[in-house]
Amino acid sequence: MRVDVWLWRARFFRTRAAAQAACETGIVRCHGNRIDKGYALKPGDVLTFAQGPHLRTVRVRAPGARRGPPAEAAALYDDLHPPA
């Protein structure tokens, strides 16, 4: 699954275009390395990205089949550094 689609489905970005823009500008990193929107995401990958004033670090648990409600989206990742 493409990382921009996953970020949108996991509800970190309101639109897919915003998720794509974050990937293209280098905001999103996987295991500390810059990635682009076409990066093939897999379970176990650790993503780090800025979300507003917060730096988020999450571990991917599942790819997700759709953009569902927040409870369903929260099941897609483990939040390693939740915002205060």
Side-chain angles (χ1 to χ4, degrees):
M1 165 165 294
R2 286 176 38 160
V3 68
D4 62 324
V5 175
W6 186 86
L7 287 166
W8 174 70
R9 286 183 180 172
R11 296 184 160 266
F12 288 111
F13 294 93
R14 293 186 129 232
T15 64
R16 208 167 137 207
Q20 288 174 341
C23 293
E24 290 171 355
T25 58
I27 292 172
V28 181
R29 295 175 181 260
C30 183
H31 301 291
N33 300 317
R34 283 185 173 188
I35 56 175
D36 62 1
K37 67 181 181 181
Y39 178 80
L41 198 63
K42 54 194 172 301
D45 282 346
V46 176
L47 299 177
T48 305
F49 55 93
Q51 187 179 35
H54 306 288
L55 185 62
R56 303 294 301 264
T57 304
V58 297
R59 180 179 298 116
V60 177
R61 292 168 98 191
R66 66 186 182 114
R67 180 177 166 97
E72 186 177 318
L76 299 179
Y77 61 89
D78 293 321
D79 203 345
L80 302 178
H81 293 236

